[in-house]
Amino acid sequence: MKQSAGGRAVQVLIALGKSVCYLALFLGAQVLVMLPVVVAAAVQSALENWEAAEQLYGVLYESAMLFTAVSGLLAIGVILLFYRIRRKKLGDALWLRRVEGPGLLSGAALAPALYLAVTVAMMALPEAWLDSYAEASSGVSGGGVIGIVAVVLVAPVVEEFIFRGLIMTRLAQAMPGWLAAALSAAIFGLCHGHPVWFAYTFVLGVLFGLMDLRLGSIWPSILAHMVFNGVGQVLDLLPEDDVVIMGAYLVLVAAAVVLPVLARREVKALFRPKPQALPAQEGEPPAQPGGCEWNPWDE
């Protein structure tokens, strides 16, 4: 039965409202974790104890990866507890479904090539932009063990939970899948702040979203996100030696070529015919792309 324009508008508003709530959870966890230090620094500033205030603000910068890891774990814990209380299956609520057939490792196999493409594209940017981006992203590089845990393990899981598993799938109930992927990717990019960061995270978010819609699960994008961030962390840990860096990028080029070939069945799964749509229960995301009454993939 065809939905009326009014019904579609209501469905879109509901999906957007849910998305705002999930985004508030993601950002709220970060604010909550940093709030004690921020408040303490503000109190010291009010008391004109400038040295103590500066030290506290320095803690925020120097321990950025620790705060990122803790806030990410907090958000993950709240999400899992919420659906545990509601007795919802995580596979349905977050699209943590098993990927039937090849496809699970498709994103991970393509991640080195995506990282290489982003690197090449950034070389064409003005030097001032790159300097600004380097300054903005300095807190997420070279963070040791905590940085690796935060960037390679925690951040991919919580970001895919929020932006693909919750926001995109809810939007896909009320609009075309490609639009849901683009809108969730735009929100994902905006959360990264810097314009250069926004540009490539938006592109990655769209690719991850379309991949997940095709395969009916967010596991492929979680693994792809982990590998992408992992490549960046490995390169950041290298000594500033031209020979070492050149060798590392040659390895990256080899991985960008070889991995998709080795995982060609996985990559081909991204272009296979759509799985048959399954009916979705009221208030839940479609079981497969196109699983709601207003087809979110084809229209």
Side-chain angles (χ1 to χ4, degrees):
M1 181 178 178
K2 197 73 172 178
Q3 245 183 348
S4 66
R8 290 183 179 183
V10 170
Q11 202 173 12
V12 169
L13 289 175
I14 292 173
L16 289 173
K18 290 180 179 180
S19 299
V20 170
C21 292
Y22 296 131
L23 180 61
L25 167 63
F26 177 71
L27 298 177
Q30 298 179 35
V31 172
L32 185 62
V33 169
M34 294 187 294
L35 188 60
V37 180
V38 173
V39 171
V43 169
Q44 294 299 325
S45 296
L47 296 174
E48 298 186 358
N49 190 350
W50 309 118
E51 184 177 352
E54 186 177 351
Q55 289 177 349
L56 288 168
Y57 285 124
V59 169
L60 288 176
Y61 178 79
E62 294 171 4
S63 303
M65 287 297 92
L66 177 60
F67 287 114
T68 298
V70 174
S71 64
L73 291 172
L74 176 61
I76 292 171
V78 170
I79 292 169
L80 297 180
L81 179 61
F82 175 73
Y83 285 107
R84 177 73 174 178
I85 292 173
R86 295 186 65 196
R87 297 183 180 179
K88 298 285 186 179
K89 293 182 178 179
L90 293 178
D92 294 329
L94 293 171
W95 262 31
L96 284 170
R97 301 190 181 101
R98 176 181 176 182
V99 177
E100 299 294 339
L104 177 63
L105 299 178
S106 54
L110 294 172
L114 292 174
Y115 192 95
L116 189 62
V118 168
T119 301
V120 171
M122 289 179 65
M123 289 179 180
L125 296 177
E127 185 176 353
W129 291 21
L130 294 177
D131 290 341
S132 175
Y133 169 75
E135 182 179 355
S137 60
S138 60
V140 299
S141 61
V145 174
I146 293 177
I148 292 172
V149 170
V151 175
V152 181
L153 298 178
V154 177
V157 173
V158 69
E159 288 176 358
E160 294 307 312
F161 273 18
I162 296 291
F163 296 102
R164 255 65 68 182
L166 292 172
I167 291 179
M168 184 189 71
T169 58
R170 272 57 180 180
L171 293 175
Q173 291 182 268
M175 60 185 65
W178 63 267
L179 181 56
L183 185 54
S184 62
I187 300 170
F188 177 55
L190 286 171
C191 287
H192 285 77
H194 195 277
V196 174
W197 225 337
F198 169 83
Y200 78 74
T201 53
F202 171 74
V203 173
L204 290 175
V206 171
L207 294 176
F208 288 170
L210 293 177
M211 175 173 60
D212 289 345
L213 286 172
R214 174 59 60 179
L215 299 172
S217 172
I218 66 168
W219 278 117
S221 66
I222 289 175
L223 297 177
H225 203 151
M226 285 181 172
V227 174
F228 186 93
N229 285 9
V231 171
Q233 286 294 294
V234 169
L235 293 177
D236 285 336
L237 292 173
L238 294 177
E240 294 185 5
D241 182 282
D242 290 342
V243 175
V244 173
I245 293 175
M246 180 64 70
Y249 274 98
L250 288 175
V251 172
L252 180 60
V253 170
V257 173
V258 172
L259 288 181
V261 173
L262 294 177
R264 55 188 176 275
R265 289 181 66 248
E266 305 279 340
V267 175
K268 286 181 179 178
L270 297 177
F271 305 96
R272 69 187 179 190
K274 284 187 307 180
Q276 183 64 34
L278 300 176
Q281 296 181 358
E282 185 177 355
E284 293 297 334
Q288 295 289 353
C292 59
E293 184 179 4
W294 181 22
N295 194 318
W297 186 265
D298 288 332
E299 283 199 18

